[in-house]
């Protein structure tokens, strides 16, 4: 029997009002499963009220104003899935070209190409481009960069400057960028803040989204003197906050954040901080 080739799907362009792709009740973008009443009001699953969200009778239709029978519209499922929009951040690097319209808001909140900003010049770009800008030896910043792996503790030795903040960029195996920042000794008693943040352009999404990363930070002090039984060190674990302008991060605030006293420095007040950091990806 001769094989029958699959029929090619020919795309067509239609001028349809955008409101057609929004729920007639709550006005949110429609996404499968889509339901319709007898008056052809298309609504989302959340607005199929009075039941389990699977259609049925005697359910109130907001636009109709009375109880109706809802049925699943598989045709409309296909229509709303077929409506694609480009990534808002396409100009800042490779990005998805065809995002379902109903998923555009979620994509915007998680897109790796959302732009970040330099703290003292007009540079705007994706986190990867920002790393190149801040780390370039011939540039104005020349920040150190280190590669890290998730769930693997990474040691860091950071100079304990009394006048300048110390920053280094950490690039994970999936390309995500983090900032390890150590502040100068400006606090009473010479304490230095240590902060870890994720560098991403959609940092504002943290307030409405589940955490993306957790981190464990160890601060290892110098060895204990001969007659002192314990050395000076501590460990803390917290969610990793996000920041779109790493040079302007507030070192006195944050979730994965510590204050290091002078007695934890190796080599005295002008010595070094010995840190370890382990990051875990949650999403």
């Amino acid at each position: 029997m001769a094989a029958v080739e699959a029929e090619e799907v020919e795309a067509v362009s239609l001028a349809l009002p955008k409101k057609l792709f929004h729920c007639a009740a709550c006005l949110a973008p429609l996404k499968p499963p889509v339901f319709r009443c007898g008056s052809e009001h298309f609504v989302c699953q959340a607005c199929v009220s009075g039941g389990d969200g699977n259609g049925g009778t005697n359910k109130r239709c907001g636009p109709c104003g009375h109880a109706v029978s809802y049925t699943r519209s598989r045709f409309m499922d296909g229509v709303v899935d077929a409506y694609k929009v480009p990534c808002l951040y396409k100009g800042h690097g490779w990005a998805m070209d065809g995002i379902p319209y109903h998923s555009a808001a979620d994509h915007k909140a998680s897109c790796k190409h959302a732009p970040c900003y330099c703290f003292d010049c007009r540079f705007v770009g994706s986190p990867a481009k920002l790393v190149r800008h801040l780390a370039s030896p011939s540039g104005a910043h020349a920040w150190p960069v280190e590669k890290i792996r998730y769930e693997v503790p990474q040691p860091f030795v950071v100079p304990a400057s009394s006048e300048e903040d110390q920053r280094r960029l950490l690039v994970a195996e999936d390309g995500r960028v983090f900032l390890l920042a150590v502040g100068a000794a400006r606090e009473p008693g010479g304490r230095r803040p240590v902060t870890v943040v994720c560098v991403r352009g959609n940092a504002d999404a943290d307030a409405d989204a589940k955490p993306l990363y957790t981190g464990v930070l160890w601060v290892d002090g110098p060895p204990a003197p001969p007659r002192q039984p314990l050395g000076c060190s501590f460990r803390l674990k917290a969610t990793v906050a996000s920041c779109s302008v790493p040079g302007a991060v507030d070192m006195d605030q944050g979730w994965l954040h510590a204050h290091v006293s002078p007695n934890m420095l190796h080599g005295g007040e002008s010595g070094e901080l010995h840190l370890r950091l382990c990051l875990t990806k949650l999403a």
Side-chain angles (χ1 to χ4, degrees):
M1 181 181 294
V4 178
E5 294 185 2
E7 181 181 355
E8 293 186 4
V9 178
E10 183 179 357
V12 296
S13 298
L14 299 174
L16 298 174
K18 186 173 286 189
K19 69 177 182 180
L20 178 66
F21 298 93
H22 287 251
C23 174
C26 70
L27 305 182
L30 284 169
K31 63 181 178 180
V34 179
F35 297 87
R36 67 180 180 86
C37 71
S39 299
E40 295 295 322
H41 292 130
F42 293 100
V43 299
C44 64
Q45 187 174 31
C47 290
V48 179
S49 59
D52 57 7
N54 291 316
T57 60
N58 297 322
K59 298 186 177 181
R60 180 177 176 81
C61 173
C64 289
H66 55 76
V68 299
S69 294
Y70 274 118
T71 56
R72 176 80 177 271
S73 177
R74 297 191 182 277
F75 170 77
M76 199 61 180
D77 285 353
V79 171
V80 297
D81 265 344
Y83 179 24
K84 311 281 186 173
V85 295
C87 174
L88 181 64
Y89 306 123
K90 188 175 179 180
H92 296 291
W94 181 91
M96 293 177 63
D97 210 5
I99 303 165
Y101 176 67
H102 57 72
S103 301
D106 292 337
H107 176 80
K108 179 181 177 182
S110 61
C111 180
K112 295 181 180 181
H113 301 279
C116 297
Y117 306 87
C118 184
F119 60 101
D120 69 351
C121 59
R122 296 183 178 182
F123 176 87
V124 179
S126 67
K129 291 182 178 180
L130 181 66
V131 169
R132 292 194 291 270
H133 170 76
L134 293 175
S136 174
S138 60
H141 313 297
W143 288 7
V145 179
E146 297 191 36
K147 293 183 178 181
I148 61 170
R149 294 176 59 192
Y150 293 120
E151 301 184 22
V152 176
Q154 177 86 15
F156 299 97
V157 177
V158 181
S161 173
S162 297
E163 298 179 357
E164 296 182 359
D165 297 335
Q166 304 294 316
R167 297 180 175 89
R168 63 183 63 192
L169 298 166
L170 314 178
V171 181
E173 55 213 71
D174 61 352
R176 280 292 191 184
V177 181
F178 299 86
L179 171 71
L180 172 63
V182 177
R186 301 188 184 96
E187 297 185 8
R191 296 190 307 166
R192 291 166 172 81
V194 178
T195 300
V196 178
V197 297
C198 175
V199 179
R200 65 189 187 108
N202 36 30
D204 292 341
D206 274 354
D208 301 319
K210 63 183 180 180
L212 299 178
Y213 307 93
T214 60
V216 180
L217 177 67
W218 292 266
V219 181
D220 298 319
R227 296 184 179 181
Q228 184 174 325
L230 298 176
C232 184
S233 64
F234 66 85
R235 167 188 180 274
L236 61 92
K237 179 178 181 180
T239 299
V240 178
S242 296
C243 178
S244 59
V245 189
V249 65
D250 187 349
M251 294 189 184
D252 293 321
Q253 299 293 329
W255 298 329
L256 189 55
H257 174 77
H259 290 266
V260 181
S261 59
N263 67 322
M264 300 192 70
L265 302 179
H266 292 247
E269 292 190 11
S270 59
E272 303 169 334
L273 275 75
H274 288 201
L275 309 171
R276 287 176 290 149
L277 176 65
C278 182
L279 296 174
T280 298
K281 185 178 182 179
L282 302 179

